[in-house]
Amino acid sequence: MSEGENPVNNPPQKPQELISAEAIADRVRKLGEEIARDYQGKELVLVGILKGSVLFLADLARAIPQLDVRLDFLAVQSYGDATSSSGVVQITSDLTKPIDDKHVLVVEDIVDTGLTMDYILDMLRTRHPASVKLCSFLHKPSRVKKPCAIDYLGFTIPDRFVVGYGLDYAQRYRNLPYIGVLD
Ligand code: 5GP
């Protein structure tokens, strides 16, 4: 096999744009305004779910400069096939600080079946925070198995596998500034 035929070395396919970088920036600014209004005068812990939420979290945090914000992260491993989770979730890296009596806003890339987020929210609630809310960049309502309330939502999307703006396929495409779909 020549080098060009090795799938690992193939250049990534260019995804078709579904949500532009401009539309993302506009939506994140509006989410920031809403969150800043709701948490005015309170200390807020933004909990990013690694790795997919990193780009969204970075933009969202900068959209609420008027709030007293702390950042923390949870890394989870969600078992299932390549494009769908099973609901069996393992915490692979935990928060660095306790969240008792803190206002926690979980920042997620996408709620698909809802199984991963249901597990994470239940787990965080056992730690006695003052409040726990969810901000998800994307939601695929057609795939929900465990409905969970999304307090702040970026976009509702159809049942397509999306990449970009933090979301990957086999660890690729996270650095795209837009949301795209692969063929
Ligand atoms: P759920 O438990 O809600 O089915 O799955 C949530 C996780 O599955 C997300 O955090 C994300 O990692 C992954 N996921 C679900 N749908 C997509 C998608 O369309 N694109 C990518 N890249 N990941 C997805």
Side-chain angles (χ1 to χ4, degrees):
M1 191 191 276
S2 74
E3 197 180 306
E5 288 168 51
N6 182 343
V8 173
N9 293 332
N10 281 345
Q13 179 196 131
K14 190 174 184 325
Q16 193 194 332
E17 186 176 280
L18 184 68
I19 306 173
S20 69
E22 293 72 25
I24 292 173
D26 198 46
R27 189 72 196 108
V28 172
R29 196 177 57 247
K30 292 198 173 99
L31 284 174
E33 285 167 8
E34 234 184 291
I35 292 167
R37 236 186 350 259
D38 294 354
Y39 288 94
Q40 199 179 11
K42 292 178 179 155
E43 186 188 308
L44 177 62
V45 184
L46 293 181
V47 171
I49 310 301
L50 295 173
K51 304 174 188 164
S53 76
V54 165
L55 275 70
F56 177 43
L57 179 89
D59 286 342
L60 189 68
R62 285 178 291 183
I64 49 176
Q66 59 278 64
L67 292 184
D68 182 10
V69 164
R70 309 283 188 274
L71 301 182
D72 212 337
F73 296 91
L74 267 182
V76 301
Q77 170 113 45
S78 200
Y79 294 96
D81 60 34
T83 60
S84 179
S85 79
S86 66
V88 180
V89 179
Q90 188 195 355
I91 306 288
T92 54
S93 173
D94 207 339
L95 300 175
T96 57
K97 289 262 164 65
I99 52 165
D100 331 44
D101 305 319
K102 303 284 185 200
H103 293 287
V104 172
L105 182 59
V106 177
V107 180
E108 175 64 308
D109 53 359
I110 183 166
V111 175
D112 183 19
T113 63
L115 293 167
T116 306
M117 200 34 65
D118 183 65
Y119 177 90
I120 290 173
L121 292 174
D122 274 358
M123 185 273 291
L124 292 175
R125 284 192 192 105
T126 64
R127 300 184 184 187
H128 312 293
S131 68
V132 183
K133 285 189 178 183
L134 170 61
C135 178
S136 181
F137 181 61
L138 298 174
H139 181 37
K140 280 186 207 168
S142 58
R143 302 240 317 156
V144 167
K145 288 190 188 155
K146 261 285 189 203
C148 63
I150 303 176
D151 303 282
Y152 306 95
L153 175 63
F155 298 93
T156 297
I157 59 164
D159 183 11
R160 303 288 301 277
F161 190 81
V162 293
V163 294
Y165 198 57
L167 289 134
D168 75 310
Y169 177 67
Q171 299 302 324
R172 276 176 160 170
Y173 304 108
R174 291 192 196 274
N175 57 325
L176 293 182
Y178 60 91
I179 291 289
V181 287
L182 294 172
D183 283 339

